[in-house]
Amino acid sequence: MSVQIHNYDVVIVGAGLAGLAAARELQRAGKRVAVLTKLHPLRSHSGAAQGGVNAALAEDDDIELHMFDTVKGSDYLADQDAVELMCNKAPETIRWIANMGAAFSRKADGTIAQRPFGGQSKPRACYAKDRTGLTLLQTIYEQCERENVTFFDEWYVADIVYRDGVVSGAVAYNIRNLEPAIFAAKAVMFATGGYARSFKISSNAHANTGDGLSIVARHGLPLEDMEFVQFHPTGLAGSGILISEAARGEGGRLYNSKGERFMEKYAPEKMELAPRDVVSRAITKEILEGRGVGPNKDAVAIDLTHLGEEIIMERLPELRDLAITFLGQDMIKEPIHIAATAHYSMGGIPVDIDGHVRKNPDEIVRGFYAAGECACVSVHGANRLGANSLLEALFFGRHVGKHIAEDLDNNLFEEPKVSEADAQTMLDEIAFCLNNNGDERVPELRKELQESMTANAGVFRTEETMLKQREILKDLRARYKKIRIDDKSKTFNTDLQEAIEFGHMLDYSTFIVEGAIARKESRGAHYREDYPTRDDKNFLKHTFATMDKEGNVSIGYADVTLGKFEPQERKY
Ligand SMILES: Cc1cc2nc3c(=O)[nH]c(=O)nc-3n(C[C@H](O)[C@H](O)[C@H](O)COP(=O)(O)OP(=O)(O)OC[C@H]3O[C@@H](n4cnc5c(N)ncnc54)[C@H](O)[C@@H]3O)c2cc1C
């Protein structure tokens, strides 16, 4: 099949909040922009966000306090210039999306209501009931349609065109019929979302397979801070489907099998509203020490019954439905069973404050940008605070869109040079998955990956568990070469797509594990039982790792941008 070549000023990969916010800016600036997405835009994981989006709006709140909470929450690994920019622009970002029509929940006086979230000094999360992400995504998607942004829905991006330090296009195929194409552009932006799908218990959508990250890494470009994976304290027992932090924000209390409100031991001041890493470790510890609830004793209980039916139905209706559907437990009548679930990716594609992808700590890749969860700018450092990532996706998506428009106006780009041959890597990958005739099955390999990542590189890590995981990954990589898929057709071939996605999961999981082995300290979401304290002398730095053609990862480091907040011990 011949390879079509399309030409645009800008190609954006991903149609969640970050991709759409950028697309709208670029289209309004008169640029020719195409958005490629493997899902319909409204199915992007942004739409699953429940709890809220932060901004210091209230009279008794303060932008500097939002910055401080974010930096402290990050365990001082966040880059403080990026945090300052995002927190300063948060109120404006909320007004911008509200003025476009996002229907936030409001107080009786008409102002936007805000709920408390973990690690925040004030109630700061603006929300739309418990379906905040969907409200924001629908609003911005509508605005993109209104501006006539060009969408290529259900196109799978498998590669980029990268030569001599310049990115000049994305290589993709149409999921409907396997038609290959190259989207040549002066600027390519990745907004491909997170990577928590490599864990068994995960709150992430099936699509969050970290494709964007592995595509970048396969070109020898670095990934940053990949060892920092956030485990959310409250996933439904068994599946990990999210029960938003709004449940703790609205007053949820955690109990173990002895009926003890165990957070008293772990965070006596903030209790359930300590940050996610602290609460996830507390829950996991209670379970590991035999004080879990449920048939397998692998959960603890969150009690919301004291809120009463009216408040639950007004503020948490979706959460109630989820617990009834997946556990048969009604939070109005009884406590529901939850456990920690892999949730968010702090690490990602390293970018500077304006979204340029970094080739190494001192140099950028020309024509290449990233924003949202796939990027590491880094506003979350070692641990993200709840409701800061919808803010990141909206603010940085828009900000990077504006910067691309400026870079285009300043003629920083050469005309992209692409040819059909640039699709060869993708065509080889497709041919391998379709034609390889081994005896390994992708769903089985994926199950082994997810189970072992949860067991060995999860909430608690040690040298021993991670060296074991390193070997498991090597074995899975060797077995991946021997896969066979059943569906050989060209029509909506999900077998093929899952095989390609699994390759990506293997690659970025190697970064998670190698980064975690090298980081001999505990910081934020990365907790080493064999190195339980933070070590600023040796590890107050970002991991910058690269992968060679054989899949071996080498670790390097880059400086953290410090600022007015001096590292202190983190207590809640
Ligand atoms: C259950 C859940 C609840 C959450 N709740 C909150 C909350 O209350 N507050 C908060 O601040 N944060 C929350 N988060 C986090 C937040 O929702 C995400 O970090 C944010 O929405 C990510 O937006 P994004 O635009 O970067 O990516 P996404 O919305 O994940 O979009 C990724 C896009 O990339 C596309 N894509 C990926 N790979 C490819 C490929 N190979 N080819 C083509 N397209 C591709 C997808 O189709 C999709 O359009 C939550 C996350 C989850 C999982």
Side-chain angles (χ1 to χ4, degrees), residues 12-21 35-54 115 117 125-127 130-133 136-137 152 154-159 171-173 175 190-194 196 202-205 207-213 215 230 232 240-246 276 322 342-345 371-375 380 384-394 397 497 500-501 504:
I12 296 174
V13 184
L17 287 178
L20 294 183
V35 179
L36 306 181
T37 166
K38 66 179 179 178
L39 303 167
H40 183 275
L42 292 179
R43 297 185 62 114
S44 301
H45 192 64
S46 290
Q50 302 163 344
V53 47
N54 284 327
R115 57 169 49 126
F117 254 52
C126 311
Y127 60 95
D130 55 357
R131 48 183 91 106
T132 313
L136 300 177
L137 191 65
F152 288 84
E154 299 188 322
W155 277 76
Y156 188 90
V157 173
D159 200 6
V171 186
Y173 70 84
I175 296 172
F190 268 24
T192 51
S202 167
S203 71
N204 276 201
N208 287 15
T209 49
D211 311 344
L213 291 100
I215 290 171
Q230 174 164 84
H232 192 295
I241 292 170
L242 194 72
I243 290 298
S244 162
E245 190 158 322
R276 293 179 174 174
L322 285 172
H343 180 59
Y344 183 82
S345 322
E373 191 168 339
C374 73
H380 311 300
R384 162 175 84 91
L385 291 188
N388 261 356
S389 74
L390 289 179
L391 173 62
E392 179 196 18
L394 277 179
Q497 190 179 329
I500 295 176
E501 287 172 340
H504 292 145

Side-chain angles (χ1 to χ4, degrees), residues 119-169:
Q120 305 279 0
S121 309
K122 301 278 174 187
R124 193 174 281 148
C126 311
Y127 60 95
K129 294 201 171 187
D130 55 357
R131 48 183 91 106
T132 313
L134 189 61
T135 300
L136 300 177
L137 191 65
Q138 284 170 335
T139 303
I140 198 158
Y141 178 58
E142 246 169 46
Q143 296 298 320
C144 284
E145 287 290 4
R146 180 181 175 195
E147 301 289 341
N148 287 321
V149 169
T150 306
F151 283 98
F152 288 84
D153 295 350
E154 299 188 322
W155 277 76
Y156 188 90
V157 173
D159 200 6
I160 48 174
V161 182
Y162 174 59
R163 231 178 276 116
D164 308 326
V166 182
V167 169
S168 43

Side-chain angles (χ1 to χ4, degrees), residues 388-407:
N388 261 356
S389 74
L390 289 179
L391 173 62
E392 179 196 18
L394 277 179
F395 168 68
F396 277 103
R398 186 177 181 215
H399 175 74
V400 173
K402 284 183 187 163
H403 267 273
I404 298 175
E406 259 173 42
D407 288 353

Side-chain angles (χ1 to χ4, degrees), residues 77 227 518-523 531 533-543 555-560:
L77 196 70
E227 61 271 31
R519 190 172 280 278
K520 297 189 191 318
E521 65 156 355
S522 290
R523 182 186 296 272
Y531 298 94
T533 50
R534 194 174 85 197
D535 175 0
D536 284 341
K537 192 158 158 272
N538 294 305
F539 289 104
L540 181 54
K541 52 192 183 183
H542 295 294
T543 305
I555 302 288
Y557 293 97
D559 290 340
V560 176

Side-chain angles (χ1 to χ4, degrees), residues 331-513:
M331 61 171 67
I332 292 177
K333 300 189 188 128
E334 62 196 320
I336 62 165
H337 292 177
I338 53 94
T341 180
H343 180 59
Y344 183 82
S345 322
M346 269 78 72
I349 303 166
V351 292
D352 72 9
I353 200 163
D354 296 326
H356 300 102
V357 172
R358 296 163 77 186
K359 190 172 171 186
N360 54 48
D362 309 311
E363 229 183 319
I364 61 164
V365 180
R366 283 194 293 146
F368 198 22
Y369 302 77
E373 191 168 339
C374 73
C376 184
V377 53
S378 133
V379 283
H380 311 300
N383 174 57
R384 162 175 84 91
L385 291 188
N388 261 356
S389 74
L390 289 179
L391 173 62
E392 179 196 18
L394 277 179
F395 168 68
F396 277 103
R398 186 177 181 215
H399 175 74
V400 173
K402 284 183 187 163
H403 267 273
I404 298 175
E406 259 173 42
D407 288 353
L408 284 164
D409 289 340
N410 293 331
N411 278 325
L412 294 189
F413 304 96
E414 291 147 35
E415 282 304 316
K417 291 186 203 82
V418 306
S419 74
E420 276 198 27
D422 290 315
Q424 201 54 48
T425 306
M426 176 182 81
L427 296 176
D428 290 347
E429 194 176 10
I430 293 173
F432 162 75
C433 293
L434 283 179
N435 304 329
N436 204 47
N437 203 12
D439 51 11
E440 295 286 356
R441 307 304 234 162
V442 173
E444 182 52 41
L445 297 182
R446 190 174 53 219
K447 187 162 160 254
E448 286 182 37
L449 172 76
Q450 291 171 327
E451 284 179 355
S452 59
M453 286 295 286
T454 294
N456 298 325
V459 177
F460 292 107
R461 301 165 169 179
T462 65
E463 185 94 8
E464 193 192 334
T465 61
M466 285 184 303
L467 291 178
K468 194 160 133 198
Q469 192 58 18
R470 177 189 271 169
E471 293 311 310
I472 292 174
L473 283 168
K474 272 190 200 150
D475 173 61
L476 288 170
R477 201 176 272 283
R479 287 161 64 197
Y480 181 59
K481 296 202 172 107
K482 296 186 230 153
I483 56 164
R484 174 164 57 90
I485 65 172
D486 291 327
D487 187 351
K488 309 284 185 192
S489 81
K490 293 197 162 170
T491 313
F492 285 109
N493 190 336
T494 51
D495 260 13
L496 168 69
Q497 190 179 329
E498 286 184 12
I500 295 176
E501 287 172 340
F502 181 69
H504 292 145
M505 292 164 83
L506 277 179
D507 283 350
Y508 75 72
S509 297
T510 311
F511 280 83
I512 298 176
V513 171

